[in-house]
Amino acid sequence: MKKMLLTGVLLALSGAGAVKVGVLLPLTGPGSVSGQAAKNGYLLALDEINRAGGVLGQPLEVVFADDGSSPAKAVPEFVRLVTVDKVDFMAGGVSSATSVAISGPAKQYGTFMAWIGAAATPVEDAFADHKYFFHYHPWSYYNFEAILDYFKYLKRTHQAKNIAIAYEDGPFGSAGINDTIAAFKKAGFNVVMSEKFKTGSGNFGPLVSKAKAAKPDIFYWIG
């Protein structure tokens, strides 16, 4: 159904000039390393697509906006792209916190979205009733299944049983931390530390020292 809807919109745009895509990324702030890397990827894709003839014979145009790694900044930037720049589609989405914040405007304007990150479960919940939301990153619980399988392998082969956990205080780190700890314990691990850190923090010395003092076999970082 989603594929049919997207195809219909593309066909409607095929005779309307350049196809304009708004890209919302953290180009500044704590998430800027990921945001700048994603921007470079979009620019490479833009060049490749337009060299090949664009989209349905029309050039592709990309308008970047900086969410500043902040939900408070993400919302007005999202609205500006949709209402002022008049983009046909939205792409981007690195932070779970900013993605949850824009879910209201996204559903209000019926915006087509292709999201590359923001894997926290609250994002999935926030967009559950938005039929134009396309998410290309595995959700956090899929990531955790793979991690848990790997840790089980380490337990079998290296007798690694003690886990220290550090997790960010945003949606990605905090949303499922209790379930994460419970799953580790059920699998036979000892959780020797579970410590929260502020999203965007740059000073991890005390936290790492605390983890080292707990003498873990595995240090699991969620952020």
Side-chain angles (χ1 to χ4, degrees), residues 84-106:
V84 178
D85 293 298
K86 304 289 186 182
V87 299
D88 301 302
F89 301 96
M90 283 288 297
V94 172
S95 164
S96 294
T98 57
S99 296
V100 170
I102 64 173
S103 61

Side-chain angles (χ1 to χ4, degrees), residues 2 5-6 9 88-91 110-114 130 132 134:
K2 283 189 173 184
L5 287 168
L6 185 58
V9 172
D88 301 302
F89 301 96
M90 283 288 297
T111 309
F112 275 82
M113 300 170 66
H130 184 31
Y132 303 130
F134 299 81

Side-chain angles (χ1 to χ4, degrees), residues 124-173:
E124 184 179 23
D125 295 338
F127 286 94
D129 57 348
H130 184 31
K131 60 184 177 181
Y132 303 130
F133 181 70
F134 299 81
H135 192 262
Y136 296 99
H137 191 291
W139 294 110
S140 57
Y141 46 83
Y142 293 124
N143 294 338
F144 181 71
E145 287 175 6
I147 290 165
L148 182 58
D149 283 344
Y150 177 58
F151 287 0
K152 287 179 179 177
Y153 165 79
L154 293 178
K155 184 156 69 77
R156 289 195 308 271
T157 59
H158 293 76
Q159 291 74 52
K161 292 188 66 175
N162 298 324
I163 299 178
I165 303 173
Y167 63 98
E168 67 173 21
D169 62 359
F172 183 76

Side-chain angles (χ1 to χ4, degrees), residues 25-45:
L25 295 169
L27 301 177
T28 59
S32 60
V33 172
S34 297
Q36 292 290 347
K39 181 180 179 180
N40 290 337
Y42 280 114
L43 289 173
L44 286 171

Side-chain angles (χ1 to χ4, degrees), residues 167-207:
Y167 63 98
E168 67 173 21
D169 62 359
F172 183 76
S174 297
I177 189 61
N178 292 332
D179 291 336
T180 295
I181 293 172
F184 281 144
K185 291 181 177 179
K186 183 177 180 181
F189 293 96
N190 302 317
V191 178
V192 296
M193 186 194 88
S194 177
E195 190 77 10
K196 181 165 59 177
F197 63 87
K198 184 172 177 56
T199 302
S201 173
N203 180 17
F204 298 114
L207 191 153

